[in-house]
Amino acid sequence: TDRPTPPPSRTPPPTPTNFTRLPIVPTLATILALWLLSARLVKYRTQVGSFIQGAYRGSAAVLGVAFIQNIYGNAGLAPLMIVAAVPLYNIFAVIILTIYGEHPAGPQNSRGSIKRTLLNIVRNPIIIGIAAGVPFSLLHLRLPAMLDKTLASFADMSTPIALVAIGAGFEGGKALARLKPTLAAALIKLAVQPAVFLPIAIALGFRGQELVALLIMLGAPTTVSSYIMAKNMGNDGELASSIIVA
């Protein structure tokens, strides 16, 4: 006997617009929850920014497209998610690290703090790189082969060099003193975020490479650039490196 055909799903497939908006909700919700949680998990003000950044900011740009291309043969809508997520990650990271970091000029009033935050956002190398690359993508412009290969070589070296810097500056004693926030941030980044937000995405109709891209965004290890940003902006570099190593 023929089995009855199941009724079609009432959940519409995700559109590119929905896919680019999707990172906003979990990122905002996670940052707010981490902000409240940091009062119980960190002892010092300079650790707050490192803890929050390490618990939400993953390596989606490095791992996302490569993983999905290996699994499905094409990236699908994953680059749209990364284009939306990476600037969002960096803008919030700059804001948080500026608020909680030790500034060489000492404490500033609210107007000076806002100005410094905006300047840090504008000067962020990752945001500058994205802004510089968007016109090439939209206009389908190609760089000369020599320049393209040179930039690709620099890009390939960036993550290994950052990992070497983290390893060179890693101190076991200081890491053990920060064990509680380190383990909490790693657990939130690798397990809690996917467990909370993936069921929501499935209910919204995300499947296939879109769902895998979201899983990578939520559950990817903390990006190595978080250590460099935390250290350069007067936050706890030891905590940031410990979260990456964990």
Side-chain angles (χ1 to χ4, degrees):
T1 58
D2 295 333
R3 295 182 178 180
T5 303
S9 173
R10 295 182 181 180
T11 305
T15 64
T17 302
N18 291 337
F19 200 53
T20 55
R21 290 176 180 174
L22 185 63
I24 298 174
V25 176
T27 300
L28 288 175
T30 302
I31 290 174
L32 180 59
L34 290 169
W35 217 318
L36 298 173
L37 190 62
S38 63
R40 295 180 175 272
L41 292 175
V42 298
K43 295 180 179 180
Y44 306 106
R45 180 178 177 85
T46 55
Q47 293 181 347
V48 175
S50 298
F51 169 76
I52 295 175
Q53 181 189 214
Y56 85 83
R57 192 176 170 206
S59 304
V62 177
L63 300 177
V65 174
F67 267 70
I68 293 173
Q69 284 179 336
N70 287 335
I71 296 172
Y72 292 99
N74 64 83
L77 295 176
L80 294 178
M81 182 206 70
I82 292 171
V83 166
V86 172
L88 191 68
Y89 281 176
N90 281 275
I91 290 171
F92 281 117
V94 170
I95 293 172
I96 294 167
L97 295 174
T98 301
I99 291 173
Y100 290 102
E102 291 182 344
H103 194 259
Q108 296 183 342
N109 56 31
S110 58
R111 180 178 294 182
S113 180
I114 293 172
K115 180 180 179 181
R116 181 155 50 93
T117 300
L118 293 176
L119 286 174
N120 285 335
I121 292 173
V122 173
R123 294 170 180 172
N124 183 271
I126 299 176
I127 296 176
I128 292 173
I130 293 172
V134 166
F136 287 88
S137 177
L138 294 178
L139 299 175
H140 302 285
L141 301 176
R142 290 186 175 273
L143 295 172
M146 183 187 306
L147 180 58
D148 186 62
K149 189 173 182 179
T150 302
L151 292 175
S153 298
F154 278 114
D156 291 339
M157 290 189 298
S158 60
T159 298
I161 290 175
L163 289 172
V164 170
I166 291 171
F170 186 79
E171 298 183 37
K174 292 183 178 180
L176 289 175
R178 296 161 174 79
L179 187 61
K180 183 178 178 181
T182 296
L183 294 180
L187 180 64
I188 292 168
K189 184 70 199 73
L190 299 175
V192 175
Q193 285 195 77
V196 171
F197 293 110
L198 279 181
I200 298 174
I202 293 172
L204 292 175
F206 288 84
R207 299 292 187 274
Q209 62 260 50
E210 289 81 20
L211 193 61
V212 174
L214 183 61
L215 173 62
I216 294 169
M217 187 198 83
L218 294 171
T222 303
T223 178
V224 295
S225 61
S226 64
Y227 164 75
I228 299 170
M229 284 184 61
K231 191 173 181 64
N232 289 341
M233 297 179 69
N235 289 259
D236 193 326
E238 286 77 14
L239 177 58
S241 65
S242 297
I243 294 171
I244 295 170
V245 172

